[in-house]
Amino acid sequence: MGKIVQCVPNYSEGRDLAKIERIVAPYKRREGVKLLSCEPDPDYNRTVVTVIGDPEGVAEAVIESAGIAAELIDMTAHRGEHSRMGATDVVPFIPIKEMGMDECVKLAQRVGEALATQHGIPVFLYEEAATKPERTNLAKVRKGQFEGMPEKLRDPQWQPDYGRAEIHPRAGVTAVGARMPLVAYNIDLDTSNIEIGKKIAAAIRHSGGGFRYIKAGAVETKGIVQVTMNITNYKKTSIYRVFETVKMEARRYGVGVTGSEVVGMVPMEALIESVEYYLGLYGFSKEKVLETHLMD
Amino acid sequence: MGKIVQCVPNYSEGRDLAKIERIVAPYKRREGVKLLSCEPDPDYNRTVVTVIGDPEGVAEAVIESAGIAAELIDMTAHRGEHSRMGATDVVPFIPIKEMGMDECVKLAQRVGEALATQHGIPVFLYEEAATKPERTNLAKVRKGQFEGMPEKLRDPQWQPDYGRAEIHPRAGVTAVGARMPLVAYNIDLDTSNIEIGKKIAAAIRHSGGGFRYIKAGAVETKGIVQVTMNITNYKKTSIYRVFETVKMEARRYGVGVTGSEVVGMVPMEALIESVEYYLGLYGFSKEKVLETHLMD
């Protein structure tokens, strides 16, 4: 199959399923593109779509879909709990197979330019595709949200990477970027004391002095406390390392770790890294996994 | 892609590369069939071929290839260190994706019948495809080797499953079967004392009172001793369980385990089982591995 890219576009519509159906239609009818999931959230009034396929096909489908979203979603009337600045709010490209980050950055540039020229939507490039340091962080790019964008675009510091410095009247502004796959990972503690979970989360996360690619917090669920995290670069901060560190920290409070779970999907390499660690496996690679050869 | 079967035919020619090339040609030119490896061994005078693909295509390619092997290999002149009874010596079918063992048994039956009717080769079905208990074990089926087959076929107990009770004059007899994927796995001990390796191998293998699906021995390599094994059913005897048991046994001799290696290929599920164990992972499955969705 050659190169495979993943794309997780977020749309500012999570209630009207008929509209969502029309917005995701381009991902269903295109050869070489596969819609993995479509998760509308009515409270957020937002839909997260996961799609994989050949870069060419995915890029074309995203451009087409963003055009439909610009027609169907009116941001001037949008209400929802999640911050947002556009009908197609964010479009991250993620390298999956036979692709480097540089190729995802180029794909983000191509799609960003197309959104501006074909649909009149101003575009900020973010994360690995960012053109200025302050645009790396999506939260900073989106600050001010849809309502604040007309003013933000007047700031010389916040000229869009593509398109004119003027919002699309109904579809707002879109952020297009490139990033590593996220691994959403939770670790269960055998305690109902949320404070212990919070302390452990603080110890492992980047902002607390922990691992560089961990964003973590603590939640109460199923009568226990869970350390819940995003691993933003699983190649550099491995799952097993975080798991063993949480076990080690938990011992300090006399608390045990009872298990863990992956939310959503995980790249095979992230699992391989953990198997290599625990089994002391040497000379191993993806090529030794039989299924790798079923993908070509 | 739908159903995927693996097939590992063994041919009694490991020296004449031009002949081997012609024998494996059917695996290269057929749509939906992929030749993963072709390993000629001059000492054994035998070539092990690994191929995957859709059951229909793989079956047809095997039948064609066995016909070519029957033309090119003269068993009456064959010398080699590995036991063998036919030009195409053994043909195991292994379920990989969306297939059960029952379907592999049917495939073995179909191919076995075709080898007899199209090429005049008598066929024994073995392992999961065996029609009598004593035919389950390939070693028993092959006992007597090529030279002893004419006499063996006169025994009412050893009438072939397909074809007449008479060897193909040059190509001998072929065993066609169905089995689980094998995992070839080695564990390194930090000792050069082969006796310790032998004791540990005896403790973990089925014949020594150990795990049902482990065949194991000890070898000296790279200045250390390795416990070398075949896991014949990784679903029922997991990699992590063997690894931890070897560590536990090694402690008895004051010996450490320094690492391990997988030889050849391993199914993704065998790795997942070990990750689940070490990370206490719950709610996990192949479907959560991103790459699984690249195969459809």
Side-chain angles (χ1 to χ4, degrees):
Chain A
M1 299 210 299
K3 295 172 198 263
I4 298 278
V5 74
Q6 185 181 18
C7 186
V8 188
N10 288 212
Y11 300 94
S12 295
E13 173 59 65
R15 295 168 189 165
D16 186 331
L17 298 182
K19 283 186 183 175
I20 294 166
E21 194 55 44
R22 288 172 63 190
I23 291 167
V24 302
Y27 303 118
K28 292 186 175 173
R29 58 176 170 244
R30 197 172 287 264
E31 185 88 10
V33 174
K34 195 173 168 195
L35 179 64
L36 289 191
S37 69
C38 172
E39 296 159 281
D41 186 311
D43 295 331
Y44 283 179
N45 198 6
R46 184 181 186 84
T47 296
V48 177
V49 170
T50 305
V51 56
I52 55 172
D54 72 274
E56 199 63 26
V58 171
E60 290 304 319
V62 168
I63 295 164
E64 190 186 344
S65 170
I68 298 169
E71 277 171 32
L72 299 182
I73 301 173
D74 181 3
M75 290 305 291
T76 62
H78 185 272
R79 300 291 174 271
E81 285 172 30
H82 197 288
S83 34
R84 75 286 177 277
M85 63 180 184
T88 301
D89 195 53
V90 291
V91 179
F93 289 99
I94 301 141
I96 299 296
K97 182 160 172 269
E98 292 177 28
M99 285 188 81
M101 189 58 80
D102 53 331
E103 290 173 273
C104 280
V105 169
K106 281 195 190 116
L107 209 56
Q109 291 165 345
R110 211 187 103 200
V111 169
E113 186 169 18
L115 296 193
T117 57
Q118 293 180 33
H119 305 316
I121 303 166
V123 167
F124 288 119
L125 295 172
Y126 79 105
E127 288 226 8
E128 299 283 341
T131 52
K132 299 180 177 187
E134 66 272 21
R135 295 186 184 188
T136 306
N137 187 332
L138 178 63
K140 284 188 189 162
V141 171
R142 199 160 49 195
K143 198 176 175 192
Q145 299 201 47
F146 173 72
E147 292 74 8
M149 282 299 139
E151 197 191 324
K152 187 168 189 164
L153 289 176
R154 282 194 287 272
D155 183 343
Q157 187 68 9
W158 286 100
Q159 293 307 292
D161 289 294
Y162 300 104
R164 291 186 305 142
E166 212 170 89
I167 68 162
H168 181 291
R170 288 160 47 97
V173 180
T174 298
V176 183
R179 61 164 172 83
M180 287 287 291
L182 278 183
V183 178
Y185 184 55
N186 299 329
I187 301 177
D188 291 0
L189 307 177
D190 63 356
T191 179
S192 56
N193 184 340
I194 187 81
E195 294 308 317
I196 292 173
K198 283 183 183 171
K199 280 179 183 159
I200 294 173
I204 62 164
R205 71 184 169 224
H206 186 227
S207 65
F211 294 111
R212 170 143 179 203
Y213 297 104
I214 299 293
K215 294 176 180 173
V219 292
E220 283 186 75
T221 177
K222 306 170 287 181
I224 56 130
V225 169
Q226 216 173 37
V227 179
T228 177
M229 70 193 82
N230 275 329
I231 305 177
T232 57
N233 186 335
Y234 67 86
K235 292 192 181 180
K236 296 190 173 162
T237 301
S238 297
I239 296 177
Y240 76 84
R241 196 173 302 134
V242 182
F243 181 74
E244 292 297 326
T245 306
V246 168
K247 277 211 289 198
M248 184 261 284
E249 284 297 315
R251 276 201 296 273
R252 176 172 176 179
Y253 307 102
V255 162
V257 165
T258 57
S260 69
E261 66 174 336
V262 169
V263 181
M265 262 168 297
V266 61
M268 201 197 297
E269 281 184 343
L271 296 182
I272 287 176
E273 178 82 358
S274 289
V275 178
E276 285 178 320
Y277 172 74
Y278 288 109
L279 298 178
L281 220 52
Y282 54 85
F284 200 78
S285 72
K286 240 174 134 160
E287 308 310 310
K288 293 201 137 191
V289 180
L290 189 62
E291 280 81 353
T292 299
H293 302 278
L294 307 182
M295 292 186 284
D296 300 338
Chain B
M1 298 212 298
K3 295 172 197 265
I4 299 276
V5 74
Q6 185 181 16
C7 187
V8 188
N10 288 212
Y11 300 93
S12 295
E13 174 59 65
R15 295 167 188 165
D16 187 331
L17 298 183
K19 284 186 181 173
I20 295 166
E21 192 56 43
R22 289 173 61 192
I23 290 166
V24 303
Y27 303 119
K28 292 184 176 174
R29 58 176 171 245
R30 198 172 287 264
E31 184 87 13
V33 174
K34 196 174 168 195
L35 179 63
L36 289 191
S37 71
C38 172
E39 297 159 281
D41 186 310
D43 296 331
Y44 284 178
N45 198 9
R46 183 182 186 85
T47 295
V48 177
V49 170
T50 304
V51 57
I52 54 171
D54 72 275
E56 199 63 26
V58 170
E60 289 304 318
V62 168
I63 295 164
E64 191 186 344
S65 170
I68 299 169
E71 277 170 31
L72 299 182
I73 301 172
D74 181 1
M75 291 304 291
T76 63
H78 185 271
R79 301 291 175 271
E81 285 171 32
H82 197 286
S83 34
R84 74 289 176 275
M85 61 180 186
T88 301
D89 196 52
V90 290
V91 179
F93 289 98
I94 301 141
I96 299 298
K97 183 163 171 267
E98 293 178 27
M99 283 188 82
M101 189 58 80
D102 54 329
E103 289 173 275
C104 282
V105 169
K106 284 196 188 114
L107 210 55
Q109 291 166 344
R110 212 188 102 199
V111 169
E113 185 169 20
L115 296 194
T117 56
Q118 294 180 32
H119 306 316
I121 303 167
V123 167
F124 288 118
L125 294 172
Y126 79 105
E127 289 226 7
E128 300 282 342
T131 52
K132 298 178 178 189
E134 65 272 20
R135 296 187 184 188
T136 307
N137 188 331
L138 179 63
K140 286 189 188 161
V141 171
R142 199 160 50 195
K143 198 176 173 191
Q145 298 200 50
F146 174 72
E147 292 74 9
M149 283 299 140
E151 198 191 323
K152 186 169 188 163
L153 290 176
R154 282 195 287 272
D155 183 344
Q157 187 71 6
W158 287 101
Q159 294 307 294
D161 289 295
Y162 300 104
R164 291 187 305 142
E166 215 169 88
I167 67 161
H168 181 291
R170 291 160 45 98
V173 179
T174 298
V176 183
R179 61 164 172 83
M180 285 289 290
L182 279 184
V183 178
Y185 184 55
N186 300 329
I187 300 177
D188 292 359
L189 307 176
D190 64 355
T191 178
S192 56
N193 184 342
I194 188 81
E195 294 308 317
I196 293 173
K198 284 182 182 171
K199 280 178 186 161
I200 294 173
I204 62 164
R205 72 184 168 225
H206 186 226
S207 66
F211 294 112
R212 171 144 180 203
Y213 296 105
I214 298 293
K215 294 175 180 174
V219 292
E220 283 186 74
T221 177
K222 305 171 287 179
I224 55 131
V225 169
Q226 217 172 37
V227 179
T228 176
M229 71 193 82
N230 274 329
I231 305 177
T232 57
N233 185 336
Y234 67 87
K235 291 191 181 181
K236 295 191 175 162
T237 302
S238 297
I239 297 177
Y240 76 84
R241 196 174 303 135
V242 182
F243 181 73
E244 292 297 327
T245 306
V246 168
K247 277 210 291 197
M248 184 261 284
E249 284 297 315
R251 275 200 297 273
R252 176 173 174 177
Y253 307 102
V255 162
V257 165
T258 58
S260 68
E261 65 174 338
V262 169
V263 182
M265 263 169 294
V266 60
M268 200 198 293
E269 281 185 344
L271 297 183
I272 288 176
E273 178 82 357
S274 288
V275 178
E276 285 178 319
Y277 172 74
Y278 289 110
L279 298 178
L281 219 51
Y282 54 84
F284 200 77
S285 73
K286 242 175 134 159
E287 309 309 309
K288 293 203 136 189
V289 180
L290 190 61
E291 279 82 352
T292 298
H293 302 279
L294 307 183
M295 292 187 284
D296 300 336

